[in-house]
Amino acid sequence: MIQRRLHIIWNHHRIKLLIVLSLFLVWLFCLPRQLFDSDYATVVESKEGILLGARIADDGQWRFPPLDSVPKKFEASIRYFEDEHFYQHPGFNPISIAKALWSNITTDSRRGGSTLTQQVIRLSRQNKKRTYGEKLVELCMATRLEAKYSKAEILNLYASHAPFGGNVVGLDAASWRYFGVPAHKLSWGQTTALAVLPNAPSLIFPGTKDEQLRQKRNRLLKKLLDNAVLDSIAYELALEEPLPKKPLRLPETSPHLVELLRKEQRSKRWKTSIDFNLQQQCNRLVANHHLTLQQNQIHNLAVLVLDIENRNVLAYVGNAQTEEEHDPFVDIIQRNRSTGSVLKPLLFTAALQDGIVLPRTLVEDIPTVINGYTPENFDGGYDGAVPVDIALSRSLNVPSVRLLRNYGLEKFYKLLPETGITSLDKPASHYGLSMILGGAESSLWQLTNAYAGMARTLNFFNQTSSEYSDSTFEPASFLIESPRDEKKLQQAPVLNAGAVYNVFESLKKVNRPTGQENWSFFNESQPLAWKTGTSFGFKDAWAVGVTPKYAIGVWAGNADGEGRPGLTGLEAAAPLLFDVLERLPNSGWFDSPYDELIEVKNCAESGFLATPDCENVISEWVPKKGVQTKPCPYHSLLQLDSSERYQVTAECYPLEQIHQKSWFTLPPVLAYYYGKKHPEYRETPSFLPGCQTELNPLMQFIFPEKNETILLPREFGGGVGEVVFKLAHQQPTTVIFWYLDDQFIGTTNEFHELAFTPEPGDYLLSVIDEKGNRLEQRIKVGLASE
């Protein structure tokens, strides 16, 4: 019998134990893994934590992602209004529950006894119908919530998900929508007004229940005063503060950046690297320049500012706030457009790096036809021969095309992705040599980052004297602390620091826009390596510049591609570039990377390595491979007669009377154009009659070039146009006689250009000067297709 009773007692206790264990397990696992499965707005902040803009959550609610912490003012206000013993209870307040239950039984009014913890549970359960059973569930889950989370975390959950009227959810969204400030900057009057709203969110509708809202707020302020949270002065000031009215528009300080980040990841709070003050200044500058440009029907502008050292985006203006019909919502910074001349610095850097040219090497600037492609300079003229640095600073097209041909189209095409220009999605042959003049497309984002990469290469080398790069051409980040690609830290640099420095020195000399010409005379003006670009048809205007600290990119034009007269880099984009530059701290100039340069003796006139025949020799610092360039080809030792008026040879003149003199001599075609721009250029003395040799040709055809087919143009009336033959002669005043086969077609003097309309066919073009010197060339004439 005793044994049976013990067995019954044991079973009875075991059942109790199982019940208790079951209840404990229910309690232990009653909370879902994710308490709130809510859609959040996309919120973008500056590096100072100031709201740049936001996009509403997918469920149509202005619900910002949770804050890191709750402001002290709101913590005190909500605690004294909703749950004064929040820090003492385990998730529920028995006294409050008892009072609420007695009131609900004995009166017709309904009184709530829920703690803030219970209200968090009710919010997470989407405010299910209030029943005693639901209250029991909430109480159970509230105690579990207290066991899992700290009081600060629970308070933060409440502040982030409480309703504040309409579609405004959470304290952060409410503070911006009703007062236009972040939550931590709310005053006492504003904070207490918001603290009473979750209890009665319908009070927010303006003009209907203002007095009820004011009374609730003021009672809360009095309670804070009585509990010494507020002093009397703060209390009186808070009573005078206005109530929230109609919800305000959220800031749109950088709308295109907000949209860009929203597409990358929704429902996230983005803490960006944007400098709020600089962003605002850039917005104002864009607005001012837009007012000017739109008078010429130029409607779209974009500005990008990067911090070179930290690889951060400091300002992002994706477009001007123009009329809706002019596409203000298009993010121009990310759109590919014709690059104009903005790729030229990359080419010149690569050519200097490989030792193809030196910084002041004379390069040819003459009429050029390459496989039917005829590049022209912007002004339509030619210099004959021009130093590399001047060709770059003046953005001359013909020398750039010829340099690209010498460097290698395919080689340059493969280099561009390494500098961050990844927008070229067709083979190099598709773009051809026109790639360097705007035949390719890229975005302001990629181009500005490429220039920043060049500056970063130079800074990194000067700081470390290392042969390795520091991921210098990785694009900038929108985040303050962005991850580095460790694999790239030990890679050889894409571009040589010495070549970059030479190119930046050239770009510093670019003529600045009107009003900036005398910048070097002012101590506060900072130097800038910068380049403009203008696309064919005046559709895109670019200006990109770098200092040791900043990279600035500007684009101007029309998003729909409409070209406009005057839409050039210098006129439309450069003024805005320099206005932005004036808002940035002066960061000085780049240090010379002497470890990547070598000092050589160069010919002052030609820029090539000096030869013994070069009389004027200067020392210059050039990239190390510069020593591989050929010596000066334009200086030679001439043998002159005793008067130094004629060239002679030992075969035709007494040896003891011959004078030797170094002479700077360009080939006839180069000299033809060079002499027009350089009055100091001295023509090579002619040979004494009877002393002419074949070593130094007196004449050279400019057009047509050797093996070139001449296409006769069709005119509007159906006729055939003329072709203009051009010749260079060392003595331009000489009379030239022109022949096509055996047919005499005319004479020229000084300017040796002759217009003629031959029939299609093959000919021998011949010229004879008045001294009997002859030059001839086979040509082929055809008709241009209609």
mmCIF file of all heavy atoms in Angstrom, residues 691-715:
data_model
loop_
_atom_site.group_PDB
_atom_site.id
_atom_site.type_symbol
_atom_site.label_atom_id
_atom_site.label_comp_id
_atom_site.label_asym_id
_atom_site.label_seq_id
_atom_site.Cartn_x
_atom_site.Cartn_y
_atom_site.Cartn_z
ATOM 1 N N CYS A 691 75.525 72.977 -105.737
ATOM 2 C CA CYS A 691 75.925 72.184 -104.564
ATOM 3 C C CYS A 691 74.789 71.357 -103.967
ATOM 4 O O CYS A 691 74.941 70.778 -102.891
ATOM 5 C CB CYS A 691 76.494 73.108 -103.486
ATOM 6 S SG CYS A 691 78.135 73.746 -103.874
ATOM 7 N N GLN A 692 73.626 71.329 -104.604
ATOM 8 C CA GLN A 692 72.469 70.615 -104.050
ATOM 9 C C GLN A 692 72.746 69.119 -103.926
ATOM 10 O O GLN A 692 73.365 68.525 -104.801
ATOM 11 C CB GLN A 692 71.236 70.834 -104.936
ATOM 12 C CG GLN A 692 70.004 70.050 -104.509
ATOM 13 C CD GLN A 692 69.454 70.562 -103.187
ATOM 14 O OE1 GLN A 692 69.261 71.742 -103.056
ATOM 15 N NE2 GLN A 692 69.223 69.665 -102.254
ATOM 16 N N THR A 693 72.308 68.540 -102.795
ATOM 17 C CA THR A 693 72.412 67.092 -102.611
ATOM 18 C C THR A 693 71.004 66.520 -102.446
ATOM 19 O O THR A 693 70.023 67.250 -102.284
ATOM 20 C CB THR A 693 73.237 66.754 -101.362
ATOM 21 O OG1 THR A 693 72.485 67.122 -100.205
ATOM 22 C CG2 THR A 693 74.569 67.484 -101.375
ATOM 23 N N GLU A 694 70.927 65.210 -102.451
ATOM 24 C CA GLU A 694 69.643 64.539 -102.293
ATOM 25 C C GLU A 694 69.322 64.247 -100.824
ATOM 26 O O GLU A 694 68.287 63.730 -100.505
ATOM 27 C CB GLU A 694 69.648 63.215 -103.080
ATOM 28 C CG GLU A 694 69.820 63.389 -104.579
ATOM 29 C CD GLU A 694 68.686 64.189 -105.215
ATOM 30 O OE1 GLU A 694 67.532 64.038 -104.749
ATOM 31 O OE2 GLU A 694 68.941 64.941 -106.158
ATOM 32 N N LEU A 695 70.281 64.583 -99.964
ATOM 33 C CA LEU A 695 70.098 64.231 -98.561
ATOM 34 C C LEU A 695 69.062 65.102 -97.876
ATOM 35 O O LEU A 695 68.403 64.688 -96.942
ATOM 36 C CB LEU A 695 71.429 64.338 -97.818
ATOM 37 C CG LEU A 695 72.527 63.380 -98.323
ATOM 38 C CD1 LEU A 695 73.817 63.627 -97.561
ATOM 39 C CD2 LEU A 695 72.086 61.920 -98.189
ATOM 40 N N ASN A 696 68.895 66.351 -98.317
ATOM 41 C CA ASN A 696 67.980 67.295 -97.673
ATOM 42 C C ASN A 696 66.958 67.777 -98.693
ATOM 43 O O ASN A 696 67.211 68.720 -99.443
ATOM 44 C CB ASN A 696 68.740 68.494 -97.097
ATOM 45 C CG ASN A 696 69.655 68.083 -95.965
ATOM 46 O OD1 ASN A 696 69.197 67.662 -94.932
ATOM 47 N ND2 ASN A 696 70.959 68.180 -96.191
ATOM 48 N N PRO A 697 65.810 67.125 -98.773
ATOM 49 C CA PRO A 697 64.817 67.520 -99.781
ATOM 50 C C PRO A 697 64.323 68.932 -99.533
ATOM 51 O O PRO A 697 64.044 69.311 -98.395
ATOM 52 C CB PRO A 697 63.702 66.487 -99.590
ATOM 53 C CG PRO A 697 63.858 65.994 -98.193
ATOM 54 C CD PRO A 697 65.326 66.026 -97.919
ATOM 55 N N LEU A 698 64.204 69.678 -100.621
ATOM 56 C CA LEU A 698 63.702 71.046 -100.519
ATOM 57 C C LEU A 698 62.183 71.088 -100.446
ATOM 58 O O LEU A 698 61.620 72.041 -99.913
ATOM 59 C CB LEU A 698 64.169 71.863 -101.731
ATOM 60 C CG LEU A 698 65.659 72.191 -101.795
ATOM 61 C CD1 LEU A 698 65.961 72.848 -103.131
ATOM 62 C CD2 LEU A 698 66.052 73.094 -100.659
ATOM 63 N N MET A 699 61.555 70.064 -101.026
ATOM 64 C CA MET A 699 60.098 70.091 -101.149
ATOM 65 C C MET A 699 59.490 68.808 -100.601
ATOM 66 O O MET A 699 60.136 67.760 -100.599
ATOM 67 C CB MET A 699 59.704 70.254 -102.626
ATOM 68 C CG MET A 699 60.187 71.535 -103.283
ATOM 69 S SD MET A 699 59.732 71.631 -105.026
ATOM 70 C CE MET A 699 60.871 70.453 -105.762
ATOM 71 N N GLN A 700 58.237 68.933 -100.157
ATOM 72 C CA GLN A 700 57.494 67.763 -99.668
ATOM 73 C C GLN A 700 56.012 68.022 -99.841
ATOM 74 O O GLN A 700 55.506 69.106 -99.532
ATOM 75 C CB GLN A 700 57.816 67.503 -98.195
ATOM 76 C CG GLN A 700 57.222 66.220 -97.649
ATOM 77 C CD GLN A 700 57.643 65.956 -96.214
ATOM 78 O OE1 GLN A 700 58.526 66.631 -95.690
ATOM 79 N NE2 GLN A 700 57.016 64.985 -95.573
ATOM 80 N N PHE A 701 55.289 67.010 -100.377
ATOM 81 C CA PHE A 701 53.848 67.142 -100.539
ATOM 82 C C PHE A 701 53.158 67.079 -99.175
ATOM 83 O O PHE A 701 53.444 66.203 -98.355
ATOM 84 C CB PHE A 701 53.283 66.026 -101.430
ATOM 85 C CG PHE A 701 53.577 66.215 -102.899
ATOM 86 C CD1 PHE A 701 54.411 65.336 -103.582
ATOM 87 C CD2 PHE A 701 53.012 67.271 -103.599
ATOM 88 C CE1 PHE A 701 54.673 65.499 -104.919
ATOM 89 C CE2 PHE A 701 53.267 67.446 -104.946
ATOM 90 C CZ PHE A 701 54.112 66.561 -105.612
ATOM 91 N N ILE A 702 52.271 68.044 -98.948
ATOM 92 C CA ILE A 702 51.409 68.004 -97.753
ATOM 93 C C ILE A 702 50.140 67.234 -98.074
ATOM 94 O O ILE A 702 49.694 66.378 -97.311
ATOM 95 C CB ILE A 702 51.068 69.434 -97.285
ATOM 96 C CG1 ILE A 702 52.347 70.202 -96.932
ATOM 97 C CG2 ILE A 702 50.107 69.403 -96.115
ATOM 98 C CD1 ILE A 702 52.109 71.642 -96.596
ATOM 99 N N PHE A 703 49.548 67.545 -99.219
ATOM 100 C CA PHE A 703 48.382 66.809 -99.713
ATOM 101 C C PHE A 703 48.473 66.719 -101.217
ATOM 102 O O PHE A 703 48.714 67.718 -101.886
ATOM 103 C CB PHE A 703 47.077 67.508 -99.331
ATOM 104 C CG PHE A 703 45.853 66.740 -99.775
ATOM 105 C CD1 PHE A 703 45.380 65.672 -99.015
ATOM 106 C CD2 PHE A 703 45.204 67.054 -100.960
ATOM 107 C CE1 PHE A 703 44.270 64.956 -99.437
ATOM 108 C CE2 PHE A 703 44.094 66.340 -101.379
ATOM 109 C CZ PHE A 703 43.624 65.285 -100.610
ATOM 110 N N PRO A 704 48.348 65.508 -101.743
ATOM 111 C CA PRO A 704 48.055 64.245 -101.059
ATOM 112 C C PRO A 704 49.312 63.629 -100.480
ATOM 113 O O PRO A 704 50.415 63.875 -100.969
ATOM 114 C CB PRO A 704 47.481 63.374 -102.165
ATOM 115 C CG PRO A 704 48.192 63.847 -103.392
ATOM 116 C CD PRO A 704 48.372 65.328 -103.228
ATOM 117 N N GLU A 705 49.111 62.820 -99.399
ATOM 118 C CA GLU A 705 50.233 62.060 -98.876
ATOM 119 C C GLU A 705 50.486 60.841 -99.753
ATOM 120 O O GLU A 705 49.658 60.473 -100.597
ATOM 121 C CB GLU A 705 49.960 61.630 -97.435
ATOM 122 C CG GLU A 705 49.898 62.787 -96.456
ATOM 123 C CD GLU A 705 49.789 62.320 -95.016
ATOM 124 O OE1 GLU A 705 49.557 61.093 -94.812
ATOM 125 O OE2 GLU A 705 49.939 63.141 -94.106
ATOM 126 N N LYS A 706 51.623 60.217 -99.522
ATOM 127 C CA LYS A 706 52.010 59.074 -100.330
ATOM 128 C C LYS A 706 50.996 57.942 -100.170
ATOM 129 O O LYS A 706 50.508 57.656 -99.076
ATOM 130 C CB LYS A 706 53.400 58.590 -99.910
ATOM 131 C CG LYS A 706 54.025 57.623 -100.894
ATOM 132 C CD LYS A 706 55.469 57.328 -100.491
ATOM 133 C CE LYS A 706 56.117 56.410 -101.523
ATOM 134 N NZ LYS A 706 57.540 56.139 -101.173
ATOM 135 N N ASN A 707 50.641 57.318 -101.314
ATOM 136 C CA ASN A 707 49.708 56.185 -101.365
ATOM 137 C C ASN A 707 48.294 56.544 -100.916
ATOM 138 O O ASN A 707 47.514 55.675 -100.545
ATOM 139 C CB ASN A 707 50.220 55.015 -100.514
ATOM 140 C CG ASN A 707 51.571 54.511 -100.965
ATOM 141 O OD1 ASN A 707 51.852 54.485 -102.172
ATOM 142 N ND2 ASN A 707 52.424 54.137 -100.017
ATOM 143 N N GLU A 708 47.955 57.824 -100.940
ATOM 144 C CA GLU A 708 46.608 58.262 -100.534
ATOM 145 C C GLU A 708 45.726 58.423 -101.758
ATOM 146 O O GLU A 708 46.123 59.015 -102.764
ATOM 147 C CB GLU A 708 46.692 59.580 -99.777
ATOM 148 C CG GLU A 708 45.335 60.090 -99.323
ATOM 149 C CD GLU A 708 45.432 61.421 -98.592
ATOM 150 O OE1 GLU A 708 46.563 61.875 -98.345
ATOM 151 O OE2 GLU A 708 44.374 61.988 -98.277
ATOM 152 N N THR A 709 44.492 57.899 -101.690
ATOM 153 C CA THR A 709 43.524 58.048 -102.770
ATOM 154 C C THR A 709 42.745 59.334 -102.575
ATOM 155 O O THR A 709 42.213 59.590 -101.491
ATOM 156 C CB THR A 709 42.552 56.855 -102.807
ATOM 157 O OG1 THR A 709 43.294 55.656 -103.047
ATOM 158 C CG2 THR A 709 41.528 57.034 -103.919
ATOM 159 N N ILE A 710 42.682 60.142 -103.611
ATOM 160 C CA ILE A 710 41.946 61.412 -103.542
ATOM 161 C C ILE A 710 40.516 61.164 -103.991
ATOM 162 O O ILE A 710 40.273 60.632 -105.084
ATOM 163 C CB ILE A 710 42.609 62.469 -104.443
ATOM 164 C CG1 ILE A 710 44.061 62.709 -104.006
ATOM 165 C CG2 ILE A 710 41.820 63.768 -104.426
ATOM 166 C CD1 ILE A 710 44.831 63.587 -104.958
ATOM 167 N N LEU A 711 39.550 61.546 -103.154
ATOM 168 C CA LEU A 711 38.132 61.418 -103.499
ATOM 169 C C LEU A 711 37.577 62.790 -103.819
ATOM 170 O O LEU A 711 37.607 63.701 -102.991
ATOM 171 C CB LEU A 711 37.358 60.785 -102.341
ATOM 172 C CG LEU A 711 37.764 59.350 -101.965
ATOM 173 C CD1 LEU A 711 36.942 58.859 -100.782
ATOM 174 C CD2 LEU A 711 37.605 58.407 -103.147
ATOM 175 N N LEU A 712 37.090 62.960 -105.050
ATOM 176 C CA LEU A 712 36.503 64.239 -105.471
ATOM 177 C C LEU A 712 35.118 64.376 -104.857
ATOM 178 O O LEU A 712 34.269 63.489 -105.026
ATOM 179 C CB LEU A 712 36.414 64.304 -106.996
ATOM 180 C CG LEU A 712 37.762 64.223 -107.736
ATOM 181 C CD1 LEU A 712 37.520 64.132 -109.236
ATOM 182 C CD2 LEU A 712 38.624 65.421 -107.407
ATOM 183 N N PRO A 713 34.828 65.471 -104.157
ATOM 184 C CA PRO A 713 33.527 65.626 -103.495
ATOM 185 C C PRO A 713 32.407 65.927 -104.485
ATOM 186 O O PRO A 713 32.613 66.598 -105.502
ATOM 187 C CB PRO A 713 33.761 66.814 -102.552
ATOM 188 C CG PRO A 713 34.838 67.608 -103.210
ATOM 189 C CD PRO A 713 35.732 66.613 -103.902
ATOM 190 N N ARG A 714 31.231 65.405 -104.175
ATOM 191 C CA ARG A 714 30.022 65.724 -104.941
ATOM 192 C C ARG A 714 29.419 67.016 -104.414
ATOM 193 O O ARG A 714 29.301 67.205 -103.215
ATOM 194 C CB ARG A 714 28.993 64.605 -104.795
ATOM 195 C CG ARG A 714 29.441 63.269 -105.355
ATOM 196 C CD ARG A 714 29.148 63.160 -106.815
ATOM 197 N NE ARG A 714 29.371 61.808 -107.311
ATOM 198 C CZ ARG A 714 29.188 61.449 -108.560
ATOM 199 N NH1 ARG A 714 28.812 62.363 -109.459
ATOM 200 N NH2 ARG A 714 29.395 60.204 -108.941
ATOM 201 N N GLU A 715 29.033 67.922 -105.308
ATOM 202 C CA GLU A 715 28.404 69.173 -104.893
ATOM 203 C C GLU A 715 26.901 69.072 -105.023
ATOM 204 O O GLU A 715 26.356 68.152 -105.656
ATOM 205 C CB GLU A 715 28.961 70.326 -105.716
ATOM 206 C CG GLU A 715 30.462 70.538 -105.475
ATOM 207 C CD GLU A 715 30.993 71.770 -106.197
ATOM 208 O OE1 GLU A 715 30.328 72.222 -107.152
ATOM 209 O OE2 GLU A 715 32.065 72.265 -105.789
#
